[in-house]
Amino acid sequence: MNFKKQRVTVLGSTGSIGVNTLDVIARHPERFEVFALSAATQVDLMLAQCAQFKPQYAVMVSEPQARLLAEKIKANGLAVQVLWAPDALEMIASHELVDTVMAAIVGAAGLPPCMAAAKAGKRLLLANKEALVVGGEVFMRAVRAGAAQLLPIDSEHSAIFQSLPEDPATWMERVEKIILTASGGPFRTREPASLRHVTPDEACAHPNWVMGRKISVDSATMMNKALEVIEAKYLFGLAPQQIEVVIHPQSIIHSMVQYRDASVVAQLGTPDMRGPIAYGLAWPDRITSGARALDFSALAAMTFERPDDARFPGLPLAWQVLNAPMGSTAVLNAANEIAVAAFLDKRIRFDHIHQVNHATLDAVAVSGVNDIEGLLALDARVRLVAAEIAKRLET
């Protein structure tokens, strides 16, 4: 078959999602070409990606890394323009030549380029959950106004999307609830009282998935699942009480939809992000991803259990902020980013992460936030509050 090549911008190309996205793209040169790449600090990996995929633009977050990359690009004879201006990410996300944007920048920093892609009407593959957690209805308004095509890349939300009816107009009348599965991370069976002694390396040792350090810690606290509950609310337009979380340690069932007739539709697969990435890139088609197929004859038993609030006290905060004033979800996200960074720097204990999040929600009053500027100002204010709370907890 002949395909019109999709020109793809990959935001966060040196992270795990970005690397896997480029792996899928490399398997289908007839369907995709890379228009632009962005990264934070990994100059040598970005150079290798530029050499392989020959994008028009490469964006580094800071000027020193960008200048170093530009020198190496020139020395290798590559025709890649290196940028680092504050608005460079928005430019490569909204450029008129771009068809598809993979949004894989971690944290609230990914919100502005996601907004730019949405307003420009791009196919936006959302692996940055913070765009929805921070942006909420403001972000969804931009998606609708730009007639953008928003496709989830998180394995759980991709699974939900694949299990829902094709027509979103029928979701409310046909769907009883959606069920997000969680692995439970590395501390699923650990005594809650012992979690105060957890080290960053222990928290980052996920049993099933290979991920960056921040998201690995979020998985260990199950804050990643709290953020996914918030994301699911905005992605699928269901009420918070229609979203449920169940622990499924084997990570084979990626999520489920329960319909009004009590039947359940689930999406299964090996724990490999190339599956949902390939689905998002080629939707509505299906293409090879490089992921290993399930061998049902070799599968162990699949088990399910309810999350333990004593072990994962951050999870219920998702429903708390969804039922609070608009912007509360941004408060939770910013507080958590500060808390996780402090834990990874060994300044606070693992169990302090929840204390920072909870105390920050109590300390910050939210009102009148209804645009991107207000959300970013709120995000900046919350980080100062959370940092002060974390400082008081330093060990």
Side-chain angles (χ1 to χ4, degrees), residues 150-200:
L150 184 63
L151 297 174
I153 298 301
D154 271 352
S155 61
E156 296 84 357
H157 298 96
S158 177
I160 294 296
F161 183 66
Q162 294 180 58
S163 301
L164 283 166
E166 287 188 12
D167 184 3
T170 69
W171 290 354
M172 285 298 293
E173 65 186 45
R174 298 176 65 183
V175 173
E176 183 69 24
K177 63 182 177 182
I178 61 178
I179 304 166
L180 298 172
T181 58
S183 70
F187 308 133
R188 180 178 61 85
T189 60
R190 186 157 169 166
E191 282 300 316
S194 73
L195 294 177
R196 63 182 289 141
H197 304 298
V198 163
T199 68

Side-chain angles (χ1 to χ4, degrees), residues 68-248:
L68 178 58
L69 176 64
E71 291 174 5
K72 296 190 175 191
I73 290 283
K74 183 178 180 180
N76 283 269
L78 300 174
V80 180
Q81 186 173 349
V82 180
L83 305 173
W84 64 84
D87 60 351
L89 290 175
E90 288 96 312
M91 187 278 285
I92 62 171
S94 60
H95 197 286
E96 62 182 1
L97 295 180
V98 172
D99 302 302
T100 299
V101 176
M102 170 58 76
I105 296 175
V106 175
L111 179 56
C114 283
M115 289 286 290
K119 291 177 180 178
K122 304 304 182 184
R123 171 177 285 200
L124 181 54
L125 309 183
L126 197 62
N128 172 292
K129 59 173 60 68
E130 290 83 2
L132 272 171
V133 173
V134 176
E137 183 54 35
V138 172
F139 178 68
M140 292 306 297
R141 285 203 301 264
V143 171
R144 292 190 291 269
Q149 192 175 62
L150 184 63
L151 297 174
I153 298 301
D154 271 352
S155 61
E156 296 84 357
H157 298 96
S158 177
I160 294 296
F161 183 66
Q162 294 180 58
S163 301
L164 283 166
E166 287 188 12
D167 184 3
T170 69
W171 290 354
M172 285 298 293
E173 65 186 45
R174 298 176 65 183
V175 173
E176 183 69 24
K177 63 182 177 182
I178 61 178
I179 304 166
L180 298 172
T181 58
S183 70
F187 308 133
R188 180 178 61 85
T189 60
R190 186 157 169 166
E191 282 300 316
S194 73
L195 294 177
R196 63 182 289 141
H197 304 298
V198 163
T199 68
D201 285 344
E202 288 176 319
C204 291
H206 195 283
N208 297 339
W209 299 91
V210 177
M211 304 180 292
R213 286 173 70 79
K214 194 272 181 181
I215 194 173
S216 294
V217 174
D218 282 348
S219 180
T221 62
M222 277 190 69
M223 183 51 65
N224 73 317
K225 209 55 53 177
L227 299 179
E228 287 171 13
V229 168
I230 296 167
E231 187 181 5
K233 189 269 181 194
Y234 290 110
L235 274 173
F236 306 118
L238 301 177
Q241 62 267 26
Q242 290 179 281
I243 306 169
E244 184 178 307
V245 172
V246 63
I247 291 180
H248 169 48

Side-chain angles (χ1 to χ4, degrees), residues 1-8 25 27-33 99 123 281-287:
M1 296 179 65
N2 292 321
F3 300 98
K4 176 185 177 293
K5 277 191 177 183
Q6 288 187 50
R7 290 179 291 264
V8 183
I25 287 174
R27 295 170 188 273
H28 300 278
E30 78 287 355
R31 297 188 67 133
F32 310 109
E33 63 180 86
D99 302 302
R123 171 177 285 200
L281 282 169
W283 185 84
D285 296 337
R286 300 269 186 176
I287 59 174

